[in-house]
Amino acid sequence: MTNAAGKVNLLGLTKAQLENFFESIGEKRFRAGQVMKWIHHFGVDNFEAMTNVGKALREKLNQHAYIAGPEIVTQSISEDGTRKWVVRVASGSCVETVYIPQNGRGTLCVSSQAGCALDCSFCSTGKQGFDSDLTAAEIIGQVWIANKSFGTVPAKTDRAITNVVMMGMGEPLLNFDNVVSSMNIMMEDLGYGISKRKVTLSTSGVAPMVDKLGEVTDVALALSLHAPNDELRNKLVPLNKKYPLSVILDACTRYIAKLGDKRYLTVEYTLLKGINDQPEHAEQMIALLQDVPCKINLIPFNPFPHSGYERPSNNAIRRFQDMLHEAGFNVTVRMTRGDDIDAACGQLVGNVNDRTRRSERYIAVRQLEDEKRELSS
């Protein structure tokens, strides 16, 4: 990403991209490691602070590059320790990042788009439509901001952020290249050194891109399922009309098979009172997932204004969980965290100008772009 002066933002560059950048300005490739460590381990955004970089190179960097994350608009802290940042991106829209501390683990939920085109009926983000893809700098910048806020620099010392989930605003697989680059920085030792098992990408079911993901990375995968049959899922997750359950589960199973090493798919299922929380839905889910290596994460619905949905009773949640347990599945119920600051799952809403509202149009355009790339490769 370049600014008006033609300078390159180094924050969003992978190690390989940084090496290419240094070659392009007539410098040795090893400089990439030095600068990357300053940016991500120490949170530095000023070349003058890079004490092992010579003065002449610092001056050259100031001429050709800069380091900048998204603008922090607000930071909120919940009574349970959950934190939420609202940050403004280049499009002018705001997106949200959430940090969830639990049982000695710190999970950062990162956004990949401003708004979302998929319009899942129970998700507040989907109600605002799609505005823009985030750049790699805007995605990894959320990790950079959160890490610095805890004062845990170097990044691998007394680490507050142990896990990252691409489960914030947007569909990560519809911003493929920027999301993959950002995840590579998360896992890079000169970046944040987070294990591939602790970086998770969550998708609503863009099946062709799941296969493409398996060609370039081996991060953990989560599927936002939310319904055990196509008829219901078509209503809750409109993308299902294009990629029905059989298609997306086959793609996810292929991805997990490539990983090997006893890896599994995380299945996310938001429980909606009277909609998808009945015993027959549990029975259908058992049949649907019987041959899929997975663990199931049940998410009681987190209310937001005008959603039209309600949270099931604790008895209904427990009954659903017990049925899955008895069928041999590993099932957890996600504890609601940060709902007092609207940071709970499904509640993220940024200040987004609704430019499309037509998920089918957006997805069709992105697929056409992907097909063009495949034909030219």
Side-chain angles (χ1 to χ4, degrees), residues 96-145:
E96 302 180 4
T97 310
V98 176
Y99 172 81
I100 307 166
Q102 188 174 12
N103 300 328
R105 177 176 62 188
T107 300
L108 191 70
C109 184
V110 173
S111 295
S112 58
Q113 296 178 313
C116 184
L118 299 188
D119 199 22
C120 296
S121 65
F122 53 87
C123 178
S124 61
T125 302
K127 298 304 178 185
Q128 61 190 305
F130 171 77
D131 179 68
S132 62
D133 287 334
L134 302 193
T135 66
E138 289 167 343
I139 297 171
I140 198 64
Q142 296 169 65
V143 184
W144 186 68
I145 286 169

Side-chain angles (χ1 to χ4, degrees), residues 363-376:
I363 294 167
V365 169
R366 297 307 295 266
Q367 286 175 336
L368 181 61
E369 291 174 352
D370 292 334
E371 289 169 3
K372 287 180 179 177
R373 281 196 293 266
E374 288 176 6
L375 289 172
S376 63

Side-chain angles (χ1 to χ4, degrees), residues 188-242:
E188 165 65 49
D189 284 343
L190 293 170
Y192 298 89
I194 301 173
S195 163
K196 63 186 180 183
R197 293 175 178 267
K198 296 183 178 181
V199 175
T200 301
L201 182 145
S202 175
T203 179
S204 294
V206 191
M209 304 307 288
V210 172
D211 286 319
K212 185 175 178 181
L213 186 71
E215 297 172 359
V216 297
T217 191
D218 55 355
V219 298
L221 182 67
L223 173 65
S224 295
L225 184 66
H226 310 307
N229 63 71
D230 283 321
E231 181 180 3
L232 179 56
R233 196 167 193 265
N234 287 345
K235 298 175 182 176
L236 299 179
V237 185
L239 181 66
N240 194 72
K241 297 173 186 176
K242 188 163 188 66

